[in-house]
Amino acid sequence: QQPVQSPQAVILREGEDAVINCSSSKALYSVHWYRQKHGEAPVFLMILLKGGEQKGHDKISASFNEKKQQSSLYLTASQLSYSGTYFCGTESTDKLIFGTGTRLQVFP
Amino acid sequence: DSGVTQTPKHLITATGQRVTLRCSPRSGDLSVYWYQQSLDQGLQFLIQYYNGEERAKGNILERFSAQQFPDLHSELNLSSLELGDSALYFCASSVGTSGRGVYEQYFGPGTRLTVT
């Protein structure tokens, strides 16, 4: 029941926007977003909880549609530092199952 | 620096051998999670401990086992190693209390295991 992310990869110029989607077949308690740069550990970005509570990054926003079991991560005015692989993690029964990943590359 | 430490950083061993990976969580965190990441693959959840007790299990092979000690550090034991076990193994920690669900996780730098 691994969540599916789309697109698999995105290439952007600095300043452009991107949306990464995460979809699950299971009912979710929360959705988490992490970013992993090449050769590094994943870093926490954001949690979206059932009921609308949101915690996380001040330059990246996200939405969580509980009924559709979907989440989207919005990256606006992208910077070079946004490059990396983005993983969503869906939570049910105390486990966080990570999605397939979306590779984002931002060029000058 | 996340505050989570993992040792060793790299490990090279032969098939059939046994290794132990060690993780120390952030100060104050009670939950420890183990993940496996193969080359260009996603993060596969293996197992979670909370305050010394196993809390959740993922796709962990029977050849693998883990434990969390009273000082909250955790060890992941991998035995009868196969070539396919070569991967990056991450430990993560969180405040984590049962009944609340999963809190944000802080990942250690990982242990890269190479089985030859």
Side-chain angles (χ1 to χ4, degrees), chain B residues 1 13 16 23 37 39 42-43 50 62 72 81 83-84 93 103 116:
Chain B
D1 183 358
T13 189
C23 168
Q37 186 173 42
L39 193 64
L43 291 153
Y50 170 71
E62 284 191 15
L72 300 177
L81 285 167
L83 295 177
S93 75
Y103 287 83
T116 61

Side-chain angles (χ1 to χ4, degrees), chain B residues 4 25-32 68 72 92-96 104 106:
Chain B
V4 178
R26 291 189 321 159
S27 176
D29 283 357
L30 298 177
S31 279
V32 169
Q68 186 179 28
L72 300 177
S93 75
S94 72
V95 171
E104 55 268 33
Y106 295 87

Side-chain angles (χ1 to χ4, degrees), chain A residues 3 69 75 88 106:
Chain A
Q69 293 145 210
L75 303 160
C88 70
V106 181

Side-chain angles (χ1 to χ4, degrees), chain A residues 2-34:
Chain A
Q2 184 180 31
V4 176
Q5 290 182 232
S6 62
Q8 287 185 305
V10 184
I11 298 175
L12 297 174
R13 293 279 183 196
E14 259 187 308
E16 292 181 337
D17 302 339
V19 179
I20 300 173
N21 301 302
C22 174
S23 180
S24 174
S25 59
K26 296 184 73 171
L28 303 174
Y29 180 84
S30 69
V31 177
H32 301 220
W33 287 95
Y34 288 77

